[in-house]
Amino acid sequence: MKQSPTRSVRDRRPLAAVAVIAWVAISPWVWGFADSRPAVANHVFLVLGFGPLAVMIAVLRPAAVVTILGGIWLALSPWLLGYAPDHAAWLNELVAGGLLAVLGTAAAGIGAPLWSRLRDARRRPTVAAGDAATLGPARSDQ
């Protein structure tokens, strides 16, 4: 019997981060807040500054940590730069910034101990009611 070669699973977090950065690049024109100079300047800065780092989040932990900070900045920037009255702008920034922060957190392994404990808890065997008979007869004479 011939075994199929094992395929290594590629980390798709950098691809997802690049997709979020690409969305950040075009979102002011898609959502119609391109007339706000602070918003466009913020997006240009973010794409040029964090775009290259987003590609490296899987291999460089510092790049992942800086991407987390960029996501937090993006989420808070409408209020800090003064274009929060535009509902589409702050909602877009909040979602895209949250996605960047979550991707950076996952790539940096910050939540890894919690996830490994949860995964191990699910894999532990439990004794079901039907399996209690296999453990041995219950002694009722005591």
Side-chain angles (χ1 to χ4, degrees), residues 118-138:
L118 290 174
R119 184 181 60 238
D120 292 343
R122 284 188 301 186
R123 290 184 181 169
R124 261 188 240 133
T126 58
V127 178
D131 294 337
T134 61
L135 295 176

Side-chain angles (χ1 to χ4, degrees), residues 45 94 125:
F45 165 74
L94 195 62

Side-chain angles (χ1 to χ4, degrees), residues 20 23-24 71 74 91-101:
V20 172
W23 174 252
V24 169
L74 184 60
L91 186 61
N92 178 67
E93 312 294 55
L94 195 62
V95 171
L99 286 173
L100 273 180

Side-chain angles (χ1 to χ4, degrees), residues 6 13 16-17 22 42 52 58 62 74 81 91 97 104 108:
T6 58
R13 289 177 290 208
N42 185 40
L74 184 60
L81 297 177
L91 186 61

Side-chain angles (χ1 to χ4, degrees), residues 24-141:
V24 169
I26 64 170
S27 64
W29 292 273
V30 171
W31 291 111
F33 58 95
D35 55 341
S36 171
R37 287 181 185 241
V40 173
N42 185 40
H43 282 246
V44 168
F45 165 74
L46 214 77
V47 168
L48 294 177
F50 292 96
L53 291 175
V55 176
M56 298 183 284
I57 63 172
V59 293
L60 291 174
R61 186 178 175 133
V65 172
V66 171
T67 303
I68 295 168
L69 296 175
I72 293 170
W73 166 258
L74 184 60
L76 297 176
S77 64
W79 292 275
L80 297 174
L81 297 177
Y83 61 96
D86 188 351
H87 179 73
W90 71 259
L91 186 61
N92 178 67
E93 312 294 55
L94 195 62
V95 171
L99 286 173
L100 273 180
V102 166
L103 287 168
T105 302
I110 293 174
L114 173 66
W115 288 112
S116 64
R117 283 191 307 229
L118 290 174
R119 184 181 60 238
D120 292 343
R122 284 188 301 186
R123 290 184 181 169
R124 261 188 240 133
T126 58
V127 178
D131 294 337
T134 61
L135 295 176
R139 294 182 59 180
S140 60
D141 56 8

